Amino acid sequence: MAGMKRYAAAAAVAVALITAPTTAYGAAPQKAAPAARTATTVAGPAHVSVLAAHARAASVAKAAPTARIVAPGEHVKEPGGAEFWLTPEGKHWTSPGDTEPQFRSVVDGNIDLGTPGVTAQIEGTAGGHYTLSGLYYGGKGTASRVTVRTTAGTLHGKLLELAGHPGWGVWYVSTDVPAGADFEARSIVVRDTLGRVYSRLDLL
């Protein structure tokens, strides 16, 4: 019996030696908590600042106006008397100074829709009423607003586009100056919803 007890005791010691390292190894993964600390470090002040900047930019873009979307052939009347309509081929319009329909093509090869640009047509009457309009095209982002710098001050125009992001649109604005006064446009700048230059034309 004494021999059997010693064997049992030796077996117990062997089991203890075998199982003890297993218990310690099983506890080791609990030390892998640093992964959580790493995640906390990533969300530091610089990271939060970048996220905040993106959020502000998204908010500005969402609040910014965009071009009015019109159907092909839909006529838009400008308060000064001009009228505009768009087709897939380009810009059509009449003005108080010329009631015959006019046309500016975007498919005749004279405009590169892949390069930012602006065109301008300026028409005046003897009474000093001016209609300014043209195409804008090729810019990045979403066109939002247009400003026209003239000898009579800065004018804020409107934008028209066809649905489906054709890559071009029409801008227009009108103004009145004293009859016989000189009037010239200096620059036309179209900006996107983030305030960046979409396309521009400098005349003087």
Side-chain angles (χ1 to χ4, degrees), residues 78-156:
E78 191 266 337
E83 197 165 333
F84 302 92
W85 62 103
L86 283 62
T87 65
E89 292 73 34
K91 166 200 174 192
H92 306 255
W93 79 101
T94 61
S95 68
D98 190 349
T99 56
E100 288 296 317
Q102 302 180 71
F103 174 64
R104 184 69 164 91
S105 176
V106 297
V107 297
D108 61 2
N110 290 321
I111 290 177
D112 179 6
L113 297 181
T115 301
V118 175
T119 69
Q121 291 82 45
I122 303 172
E123 301 162 277
T125 66
H129 180 80
Y130 284 86
T131 301
L132 302 87
S133 65
L135 300 170
Y136 63 89
Y137 51 88
K140 295 181 179 179
T142 301
S144 175
R145 52 174 60 90
V146 58
T147 54
V148 184
R149 189 168 61 88
T150 76
T151 51
T154 299
L155 309 176
H156 300 276

Side-chain angles (χ1 to χ4, degrees), residues 4-98:
M4 292 178 64
K5 290 179 180 178
R6 284 195 298 272
Y7 180 81
V13 172
V15 170
L17 291 173
I18 293 172
T19 57
T22 303
T23 302
Y25 186 80
Q30 295 178 1
K31 297 180 181 179
R37 290 196 297 272
T38 301
T40 302
T41 303
V42 171
H47 185 66
V48 171
S49 178
V50 170
L51 291 176
H54 283 301
R56 286 194 297 270
S59 178
V60 169
K62 185 176 181 180
T66 56
R68 173 179 171 179
I69 303 300
V70 295
E74 177 183 350
H75 286 233
V76 176
K77 293 184 178 180
E78 191 266 337
E83 197 165 333
F84 302 92
W85 62 103
L86 283 62
T87 65
E89 292 73 34
K91 166 200 174 192
H92 306 255
W93 79 101
T94 61
S95 68
D98 190 349

